[in-house]
Amino acid sequence: MSNTKTKTRQSAVGQLASAASSEVIIDLIEVNKWYGEFHVLKNINLVVHEGERIVICGPSGSGKSTLIRCINNLEEHQDGSIVVDGITLDKNLKNIDHIRTEVGMVFQSFNLFPHLTILENLTLGPIWVRKLTKIEAEKRAMEYLERVKIPEQADKFPAQLSGGQQQRVAIARSLCMNPKIMLFDEPTSALDPEMIKEVLDVMIELANTGMTMIVVTHEMGFAKTIADRVIFMDEGVIVEENEPNAFFGNPQHARTKLFLSQIL
Amino acid sequence: MEYVRTKDTPTRKPPLNESSLLGWLKINLFDTLFSSVLTILVLIAIFFAVKSLWIWGISDGVWIAETRRECFKINIDGACWAGVIAWLDNIFYGRYPREELWRINLGGLLLILWMLPLWLPRVRGKIFVGLSVVALYPFLAGYLFSGGEKGIFMQVMITAAIVGLAVNVANAVTGYFNRGSLSSFILRKIGKSDAPEKQQRNILLAILLIAFVAVFVWQMGWVVENVTWTKWGGLFLTFVIAGIGIASALPGGIILALGRRSKLPVVSVLSTAFIELFRSVPLITVLFMATTMFPLFVPEGFVLNKLVQVIIAVCLFNACYIAEIVRAGLQAIPKGQYEGAHTIGLGYWGAMGLIIMPQALKHMIPNIVGSFIGLLKDTTLVSIIGLFDILNILRAISKDTPWIGLHKEPLVFGAILFFIICFAMSKYSRHLEAKLATGHKN
């Protein structure tokens, strides 16, 4: 297994040498996490470069959501180090708040604020955290609503929107903070089939702008289209990591082969 | 087997249902023979109850008389409302000097004026209205009601309150008439709306300072006569205690609730102990403790009057109840809301103040208002420790020589008064709920 890992790491690096910018933006070194006695993340090593698009897949309970939630400290890791945008995540609340402004996140359950209109959902962060004026924030919010193709919903409340629309609003809300990194935690898992596409389209468009993205998803078609690297996790470890063609065409590890045969 | 629809099915009116009066009656009151009989029996019972009340209170009631004896002469079976009418001033104002009543009326009027912008559409800065009324109005009203010499601190606070009130009212006027907020209106009028932000802020601050100085000089010129708290009474005293209780119980309760949920063990344990202590003791005990024990805890020579002690007790007691309501509200907010707030960079206080607390309070409006109604009614307990609140005044009527023995009518009047106030609060809470409803959570 360690053999596979070294190989994929080399291939990823080799591929990135050709990319315009190759600065390391997320660096996880020997990260471990436990829920009580349960060892969820075991010795995770992961390097993400600026502009890279990474898809993480794996069976449920494999620790993929926990992994990306550690990156913006929604979950605390207990061992190892996580460096995001040059800042090491530790107990320092200021660092955590700073990293969270640079890292956007989209959840399976949207987590929009039900007591605020769509526009207010989008302008809250820019006004209170980025200290924009209300006019600037609203202008920016409308730009992103245009980009996710629902500017006409600006004055509605989240409960009045369909699931797909809510998720697009959630993406726009994160983008309004002008983050350097976007994390997606199963963004389409709670959606009806006909709504998945509208969300994926927005994500593909976002990928094309060069955003650094880490996406936990079961949408393998999406992974093939946009991922620079696909990571397969099981039981808290990274089992296999490769660029998508090789990952889907020629999986190495027996566990990966089994997983792919079950979902494709 | 093939089927293709060729004709549309027309929409039809529904069968007899709740949307018509007749349908509603049929379904809800006369559904079966048994429910029809029950309905008729209940209607008959209501009819007789209302009829006897009507005869006692209205058709046989005596409205004009000098004494209770005179009432009897006119109609011995009817209610003697004349006694209540003769005591109306006492019921509303207690033993407050009659020539100074305008101060209470003015205080009430200013409060209404201050709060009015909360209900007006298009007015901005409603949070400022709410905060300023809680933080500043008590000083202005406190001086109006008690009077006497003003210390320098009181003078500053009174000035701040008057300026705050003026700003609120002016802001409400410009907002209501579509002229934007007061600050933007002023800047437009003096042609500075395009000036840099810093200059605008300085101009507004200068205007505020000038207003402050002017009001300060003006208020030095007037003094109102001292009226000691022992003369306060009636509905006025009830409103003072309940008003301060309501205004401070909510912020106090929020702080205690956050304290109880805090991750810091000392804060959490202290808040929990405080809440549990006050919640497990009856209010009347807390009131007795406040008046007998409280003086033991304060330095010698520092005398707090009984009214202040009672108010502090009521505030603490109710803050603990509100704390538990707020805590329940906080627990109902899903974890995803905290996470959503954190991912847009909000810290603890930002997430609490902007995302979590507004939702929690909104869900808890019925409980919070219920608690406030309880608070208002509980204030009648202060009559037991000798304050002349409305209940004590109502009972005093029966000891007044011309109206000796008049028990029923004053208490019925008190009940009606409390019902009107509490029902209005309850209605307002329903209105708030409807206004703030933005659909259920995802």
Side-chain angles (χ1 to χ4, degrees), chain A residues 69 72 100-101 103 105 107 109 111-115 124-125 128-129 134 157 159 166 173 177, chain B residues 124 335-337 339-347 354-355 358-359 362 438-442:
Chain A
R69 287 159 63 85
N72 63 355
R100 282 174 178 165
T101 61
V103 181
M105 186 160 191
F107 300 88
S109 55
N111 294 347
L112 294 176
F113 308 131
H115 63 304
L124 193 79
W128 290 87
V129 180
K134 197 174 171 207
F157 286 96
Q166 290 194 42
R173 179 176 75 181
M177 292 294 291
Chain B
R124 309 292 290 270
K335 202 169 152 230
Q337 289 293 309
E339 293 179 347
H342 289 324
T343 51
I344 56 168
L346 294 171
L354 296 168
I355 308 297
Q359 293 184 58
K362 201 173 82 181
T438 56
H440 34 185
K441 273 195 277 297
N442 46 51

Short mmCIF file of all heavy atoms in Angstrom, two decimals, chain A residues 69 72 100-101 103 105 107 109 111-115 124-125 128-129 134 157 159 166 173 177, chain B residues 124 335-337 339-347 354-355 358-359 362 438-442:
data_model
loop_
_atom_site.label_atom_id
_atom_site.label_comp_id
_atom_site.label_asym_id
_atom_site.label_seq_id
_atom_site.Cartn_x
_atom_site.Cartn_y
_atom_site.Cartn_z
N ARG A 69 -13.50 18.57 7.32
CA ARG A 69 -13.95 19.44 8.42
C ARG A 69 -12.81 19.80 9.35
O ARG A 69 -12.88 20.80 10.07
CB ARG A 69 -15.09 18.76 9.19
CG ARG A 69 -16.40 18.75 8.40
CD ARG A 69 -17.34 17.68 8.91
NE ARG A 69 -17.72 17.94 10.28
CZ ARG A 69 -18.73 18.74 10.62
NH1 ARG A 69 -19.44 19.33 9.67
NH2 ARG A 69 -19.03 18.96 11.87
N ASN A 72 -10.95 23.30 8.16
CA ASN A 72 -11.34 24.62 8.69
C ASN A 72 -11.71 24.53 10.17
O ASN A 72 -12.42 25.39 10.69
CB ASN A 72 -12.46 25.25 7.86
CG ASN A 72 -13.74 24.44 7.90
OD1 ASN A 72 -13.77 23.36 8.47
ND2 ASN A 72 -14.78 24.97 7.32
N ARG A 100 -10.89 30.47 8.63
CA ARG A 100 -12.27 30.26 8.19
C ARG A 100 -12.73 31.33 7.20
O ARG A 100 -13.60 31.08 6.38
CB ARG A 100 -13.20 30.23 9.40
CG ARG A 100 -13.14 28.89 10.11
CD ARG A 100 -13.94 28.94 11.36
NE ARG A 100 -13.94 27.64 12.03
CZ ARG A 100 -14.30 27.46 13.29
NH1 ARG A 100 -14.70 28.52 14.00
NH2 ARG A 100 -14.27 26.28 13.83
N THR A 101 -12.15 32.53 7.30
CA THR A 101 -12.54 33.54 6.31
C THR A 101 -11.93 33.21 4.94
O THR A 101 -12.45 33.64 3.92
CB THR A 101 -12.07 34.95 6.71
OG1 THR A 101 -10.65 34.95 6.80
CG2 THR A 101 -12.67 35.38 8.02
N VAL A 103 -11.37 30.02 3.89
CA VAL A 103 -11.83 28.70 3.46
C VAL A 103 -13.36 28.68 3.47
O VAL A 103 -13.98 28.79 4.52
CB VAL A 103 -11.30 27.60 4.40
CG1 VAL A 103 -11.77 26.23 3.92
CG2 VAL A 103 -9.78 27.64 4.46
N MET A 105 -17.05 26.80 2.83
CA MET A 105 -17.50 25.41 2.94
C MET A 105 -18.96 25.28 2.58
O MET A 105 -19.78 26.12 2.94
CB MET A 105 -17.28 24.91 4.36
CG MET A 105 -17.58 23.43 4.50
SD MET A 105 -16.78 22.75 5.94
CE MET A 105 -17.02 21.01 5.68
N PHE A 107 -22.20 22.53 2.70
CA PHE A 107 -22.59 21.34 3.45
C PHE A 107 -23.66 20.54 2.70
O PHE A 107 -24.38 21.07 1.86
CB PHE A 107 -23.17 21.74 4.80
CG PHE A 107 -22.23 22.52 5.67
CD1 PHE A 107 -22.16 23.90 5.57
CD2 PHE A 107 -21.43 21.89 6.60
CE1 PHE A 107 -21.30 24.63 6.37
CE2 PHE A 107 -20.57 22.60 7.41
CZ PHE A 107 -20.50 23.98 7.29
N SER A 109 -26.36 19.61 4.09
CA SER A 109 -27.67 20.13 4.51
C SER A 109 -27.78 21.64 4.33
O SER A 109 -28.56 22.29 5.02
CB SER A 109 -27.94 19.74 5.95
OG SER A 109 -26.87 20.18 6.76
N ASN A 111 -27.33 24.44 5.37
CA ASN A 111 -27.08 25.32 6.52
C ASN A 111 -27.22 26.80 6.19
O ASN A 111 -26.46 27.63 6.68
CB ASN A 111 -25.70 25.06 7.12
CG ASN A 111 -25.61 23.69 7.73
OD1 ASN A 111 -26.63 23.04 7.91
ND2 ASN A 111 -24.42 23.24 8.04
N LEU A 112 -28.21 27.13 5.38
CA LEU A 112 -28.53 28.55 5.19
C LEU A 112 -29.18 29.06 6.46
O LEU A 112 -29.67 28.27 7.28
CB LEU A 112 -29.47 28.73 4.00
CG LEU A 112 -28.88 28.35 2.65
CD1 LEU A 112 -29.95 28.49 1.56
CD2 LEU A 112 -27.69 29.24 2.32
N PHE A 113 -29.21 30.37 6.63
CA PHE A 113 -29.81 30.93 7.83
C PHE A 113 -31.28 31.21 7.56
O PHE A 113 -31.61 32.13 6.81
CB PHE A 113 -29.08 32.21 8.24
CG PHE A 113 -27.59 32.02 8.33
CD1 PHE A 113 -26.72 32.89 7.72
CD2 PHE A 113 -27.06 30.94 9.02
CE1 PHE A 113 -25.36 32.70 7.80
CE2 PHE A 113 -25.70 30.73 9.10
CZ PHE A 113 -24.84 31.62 8.49
N PRO A 114 -32.18 30.44 8.16
CA PRO A 114 -33.59 30.50 7.76
C PRO A 114 -34.28 31.82 8.12
O PRO A 114 -35.30 32.14 7.54
CB PRO A 114 -34.23 29.35 8.53
CG PRO A 114 -33.31 29.07 9.66
CD PRO A 114 -31.94 29.43 9.19
N HIS A 115 -33.70 32.58 9.06
CA HIS A 115 -34.37 33.82 9.47
C HIS A 115 -33.96 35.00 8.62
O HIS A 115 -34.45 36.10 8.83
CB HIS A 115 -34.10 34.10 10.94
CG HIS A 115 -32.65 34.34 11.24
ND1 HIS A 115 -31.68 33.43 10.94
CD2 HIS A 115 -32.02 35.39 11.81
CE1 HIS A 115 -30.50 33.90 11.32
NE2 HIS A 115 -30.67 35.08 11.84
N LEU A 124 -24.10 38.89 4.96
CA LEU A 124 -23.77 38.88 6.40
C LEU A 124 -22.25 38.79 6.63
O LEU A 124 -21.67 39.62 7.34
CB LEU A 124 -24.47 37.70 7.06
CG LEU A 124 -24.47 37.72 8.58
CD1 LEU A 124 -25.54 38.68 9.05
CD2 LEU A 124 -24.75 36.34 9.13
N GLY A 125 -21.62 37.79 6.02
CA GLY A 125 -20.19 37.61 6.21
C GLY A 125 -19.39 38.81 5.70
O GLY A 125 -18.60 39.39 6.44
N TRP A 128 -19.99 41.83 8.18
CA TRP A 128 -19.54 41.73 9.57
C TRP A 128 -18.11 41.25 9.70
O TRP A 128 -17.43 41.58 10.66
CB TRP A 128 -20.46 40.81 10.36
CG TRP A 128 -21.80 41.43 10.59
CD1 TRP A 128 -22.86 41.38 9.74
CD2 TRP A 128 -22.20 42.26 11.68
NE1 TRP A 128 -23.90 42.11 10.25
CE2 TRP A 128 -23.53 42.65 11.45
CE3 TRP A 128 -21.57 42.69 12.86
CZ2 TRP A 128 -24.24 43.46 12.33
CZ3 TRP A 128 -22.28 43.49 13.74
CH2 TRP A 128 -23.60 43.87 13.47
N VAL A 129 -17.66 40.44 8.74
CA VAL A 129 -16.30 39.90 8.85
C VAL A 129 -15.34 40.66 7.95
O VAL A 129 -14.28 41.09 8.37
CB VAL A 129 -16.29 38.39 8.52
CG1 VAL A 129 -14.89 37.83 8.65
CG2 VAL A 129 -17.24 37.65 9.45
N LYS A 134 -22.68 48.08 3.24
CA LYS A 134 -23.83 47.30 2.82
C LYS A 134 -23.99 47.33 1.30
O LYS A 134 -24.31 46.31 0.67
CB LYS A 134 -25.07 47.88 3.49
CG LYS A 134 -26.24 46.94 3.47
CD LYS A 134 -27.40 47.47 4.25
CE LYS A 134 -28.61 46.60 4.01
NZ LYS A 134 -29.86 47.29 4.17
N PHE A 157 -36.93 33.91 1.32
CA PHE A 157 -36.30 33.23 2.44
C PHE A 157 -35.92 31.81 2.02
O PHE A 157 -36.56 31.24 1.13
CB PHE A 157 -37.25 33.18 3.64
CG PHE A 157 -37.39 34.52 4.31
CD1 PHE A 157 -38.45 35.37 4.02
CD2 PHE A 157 -36.44 34.94 5.23
CE1 PHE A 157 -38.56 36.60 4.63
CE2 PHE A 157 -36.54 36.16 5.85
CZ PHE A 157 -37.60 37.00 5.55
N ALA A 159 -36.45 28.88 3.06
CA ALA A 159 -37.46 27.83 3.04
C ALA A 159 -38.34 27.89 1.79
O ALA A 159 -39.05 26.94 1.49
CB ALA A 159 -38.33 27.91 4.30
N GLN A 166 -31.28 26.18 -2.95
CA GLN A 166 -30.67 26.47 -1.65
C GLN A 166 -29.18 26.15 -1.67
O GLN A 166 -28.36 26.91 -1.14
CB GLN A 166 -31.34 25.65 -0.55
CG GLN A 166 -32.75 26.09 -0.24
CD GLN A 166 -33.25 25.49 1.07
OE1 GLN A 166 -32.54 25.43 2.06
NE2 GLN A 166 -34.48 25.05 1.08
N ARG A 173 -22.97 32.03 -1.07
CA ARG A 173 -22.67 32.63 0.23
C ARG A 173 -21.20 32.46 0.60
O ARG A 173 -20.55 33.39 1.08
CB ARG A 173 -23.54 31.98 1.32
CG ARG A 173 -23.27 32.54 2.70
CD ARG A 173 -24.18 31.95 3.73
NE ARG A 173 -23.81 30.58 4.07
CZ ARG A 173 -24.46 29.83 4.94
NH1 ARG A 173 -25.54 30.30 5.54
NH2 ARG A 173 -24.07 28.60 5.21
N MET A 177 -17.35 35.60 0.37
CA MET A 177 -16.25 35.90 1.27
C MET A 177 -14.92 35.94 0.52
O MET A 177 -13.87 36.14 1.12
CB MET A 177 -16.16 34.85 2.39
CG MET A 177 -17.31 34.88 3.36
SD MET A 177 -17.36 36.39 4.31
CE MET A 177 -15.90 36.17 5.33
N ARG B 124 -35.70 52.67 10.02
CA ARG B 124 -34.49 51.87 10.17
C ARG B 124 -33.99 51.95 11.61
O ARG B 124 -34.42 52.80 12.38
CB ARG B 124 -33.40 52.37 9.21
CG ARG B 124 -33.86 52.50 7.80
CD ARG B 124 -34.14 51.13 7.19
NE ARG B 124 -32.91 50.40 6.98
CZ ARG B 124 -32.20 50.47 5.85
NH1 ARG B 124 -32.60 51.22 4.87
NH2 ARG B 124 -31.09 49.77 5.71
N LYS B 335 -26.96 22.07 14.93
CA LYS B 335 -25.52 22.32 14.93
C LYS B 335 -25.07 22.96 13.61
O LYS B 335 -24.14 23.76 13.59
CB LYS B 335 -24.82 20.97 15.11
CG LYS B 335 -23.42 21.06 15.64
CD LYS B 335 -22.92 19.67 16.03
CE LYS B 335 -21.42 19.60 15.89
NZ LYS B 335 -20.97 18.44 15.12
N GLY B 336 -25.78 22.60 12.53
CA GLY B 336 -25.41 23.13 11.22
C GLY B 336 -25.44 24.65 11.17
O GLY B 336 -24.69 25.26 10.41
N GLN B 337 -26.28 25.27 11.97
CA GLN B 337 -26.36 26.73 11.97
C GLN B 337 -25.07 27.34 12.54
O GLN B 337 -24.57 28.33 12.04
CB GLN B 337 -27.57 27.20 12.77
CG GLN B 337 -28.89 26.91 12.08
CD GLN B 337 -29.05 27.71 10.81
OE1 GLN B 337 -28.89 28.92 10.80
NE2 GLN B 337 -29.34 27.03 9.71
N GLU B 339 -22.21 25.83 12.42
CA GLU B 339 -21.16 25.55 11.44
C GLU B 339 -21.25 26.50 10.27
O GLU B 339 -20.24 27.01 9.79
CB GLU B 339 -21.24 24.09 10.99
CG GLU B 339 -20.91 23.14 12.12
CD GLU B 339 -21.00 21.69 11.72
OE1 GLU B 339 -21.56 21.40 10.64
OE2 GLU B 339 -20.53 20.84 12.51
N GLY B 340 -22.50 26.76 9.82
CA GLY B 340 -22.68 27.71 8.73
C GLY B 340 -22.14 29.07 9.11
O GLY B 340 -21.47 29.74 8.33
N ALA B 341 -22.41 29.49 10.33
CA ALA B 341 -21.94 30.79 10.79
C ALA B 341 -20.42 30.81 10.87
O ALA B 341 -19.78 31.78 10.46
CB ALA B 341 -22.54 31.11 12.16
N HIS B 342 -19.83 29.72 11.37
CA HIS B 342 -18.37 29.69 11.50
C HIS B 342 -17.69 29.70 10.14
O HIS B 342 -16.63 30.30 9.98
CB HIS B 342 -17.93 28.45 12.29
CG HIS B 342 -18.29 28.54 13.74
ND1 HIS B 342 -18.25 29.73 14.44
CD2 HIS B 342 -18.69 27.60 14.63
CE1 HIS B 342 -18.62 29.50 15.69
NE2 HIS B 342 -18.91 28.23 15.83
N THR B 343 -18.30 29.02 9.15
CA THR B 343 -17.61 28.95 7.86
C THR B 343 -17.62 30.29 7.13
O THR B 343 -16.85 30.46 6.21
CB THR B 343 -18.23 27.90 6.92
OG1 THR B 343 -19.64 28.13 6.86
CG2 THR B 343 -17.95 26.51 7.40
N ILE B 344 -18.47 31.23 7.53
CA ILE B 344 -18.32 32.55 6.91
C ILE B 344 -17.51 33.46 7.83
O ILE B 344 -17.55 34.67 7.71
CB ILE B 344 -19.66 33.21 6.51
CG1 ILE B 344 -20.59 33.30 7.70
CG2 ILE B 344 -20.30 32.48 5.36
CD1 ILE B 344 -21.78 34.20 7.44
N GLY B 345 -16.77 32.84 8.75
CA GLY B 345 -15.78 33.60 9.51
C GLY B 345 -16.30 34.25 10.77
O GLY B 345 -15.58 35.01 11.40
N LEU B 346 -17.55 33.99 11.15
CA LEU B 346 -18.06 34.59 12.38
C LEU B 346 -17.51 33.83 13.59
O LEU B 346 -17.47 32.61 13.59
CB LEU B 346 -19.59 34.55 12.40
CG LEU B 346 -20.31 35.41 11.37
CD1 LEU B 346 -21.80 35.10 11.36
CD2 LEU B 346 -20.09 36.88 11.63
N GLY B 347 -17.09 34.57 14.59
CA GLY B 347 -16.63 33.94 15.83
C GLY B 347 -17.81 33.64 16.74
O GLY B 347 -18.96 33.69 16.31
N LEU B 354 -25.87 37.11 15.65
CA LEU B 354 -26.48 37.31 14.34
C LEU B 354 -27.27 36.10 13.87
O LEU B 354 -28.25 36.23 13.14
CB LEU B 354 -25.40 37.63 13.31
CG LEU B 354 -24.64 38.92 13.53
CD1 LEU B 354 -23.42 38.98 12.63
CD2 LEU B 354 -25.54 40.11 13.28
N ILE B 355 -26.84 34.91 14.25
CA ILE B 355 -27.45 33.70 13.69
C ILE B 355 -28.25 32.93 14.73
O ILE B 355 -29.43 32.64 14.54
CB ILE B 355 -26.35 32.76 13.11
CG1 ILE B 355 -25.45 33.53 12.16
CG2 ILE B 355 -26.98 31.56 12.45
CD1 ILE B 355 -26.13 34.07 10.94
N PRO B 358 -31.06 35.21 17.39
CA PRO B 358 -32.31 35.66 16.76
C PRO B 358 -33.27 34.51 16.49
O PRO B 358 -34.48 34.64 16.69
CB PRO B 358 -31.84 36.29 15.45
CG PRO B 358 -30.43 36.68 15.68
CD PRO B 358 -29.87 35.66 16.64
N GLN B 359 -32.73 33.38 16.04
CA GLN B 359 -33.61 32.24 15.78
C GLN B 359 -34.16 31.65 17.06
O GLN B 359 -35.33 31.31 17.16
CB GLN B 359 -32.84 31.16 15.02
CG GLN B 359 -32.45 31.56 13.63
CD GLN B 359 -31.79 30.40 12.91
OE1 GLN B 359 -32.36 29.33 12.76
NE2 GLN B 359 -30.57 30.60 12.46
N LYS B 362 -36.79 33.86 18.52
CA LYS B 362 -38.00 33.81 17.72
C LYS B 362 -38.84 32.58 18.06
O LYS B 362 -40.05 32.68 18.22
CB LYS B 362 -37.61 33.79 16.24
CG LYS B 362 -38.71 34.23 15.32
CD LYS B 362 -38.20 34.35 13.92
CE LYS B 362 -38.17 33.00 13.26
NZ LYS B 362 -37.66 33.07 11.89
N THR B 438 -40.51 32.99 9.09
CA THR B 438 -39.88 32.94 7.78
C THR B 438 -39.80 31.51 7.29
O THR B 438 -38.89 31.14 6.58
CB THR B 438 -38.47 33.53 7.81
OG1 THR B 438 -37.72 32.83 8.81
CG2 THR B 438 -38.49 35.00 8.13
N GLY B 439 -40.75 30.68 7.73
CA GLY B 439 -40.74 29.31 7.26
C GLY B 439 -39.88 28.45 8.15
O GLY B 439 -39.10 28.94 8.95
N HIS B 440 -40.04 27.15 8.01
CA HIS B 440 -39.32 26.25 8.89
C HIS B 440 -37.89 26.06 8.45
O HIS B 440 -37.51 26.43 7.36
CB HIS B 440 -40.05 24.92 9.02
CG HIS B 440 -40.75 24.54 7.75
ND1 HIS B 440 -41.54 23.46 7.64
CD2 HIS B 440 -40.77 25.13 6.54
CE1 HIS B 440 -42.03 23.39 6.41
NE2 HIS B 440 -41.57 24.40 5.74
N LYS B 441 -37.17 25.48 9.35
CA LYS B 441 -35.73 25.28 9.09
C LYS B 441 -35.52 24.18 8.09
O LYS B 441 -36.34 23.30 7.92
CB LYS B 441 -35.06 24.85 10.40
CG LYS B 441 -34.63 26.01 11.22
CD LYS B 441 -33.69 25.51 12.26
CE LYS B 441 -34.41 24.95 13.43
NZ LYS B 441 -35.22 25.87 14.16
N ASN B 442 -34.37 24.26 7.43
CA ASN B 442 -34.02 23.13 6.56
C ASN B 442 -33.34 22.05 7.37
O ASN B 442 -32.93 22.26 8.47
CB ASN B 442 -33.09 23.59 5.44
CG ASN B 442 -31.97 24.46 5.95
OD1 ASN B 442 -31.29 24.08 6.88
ND2 ASN B 442 -31.79 25.62 5.37
#
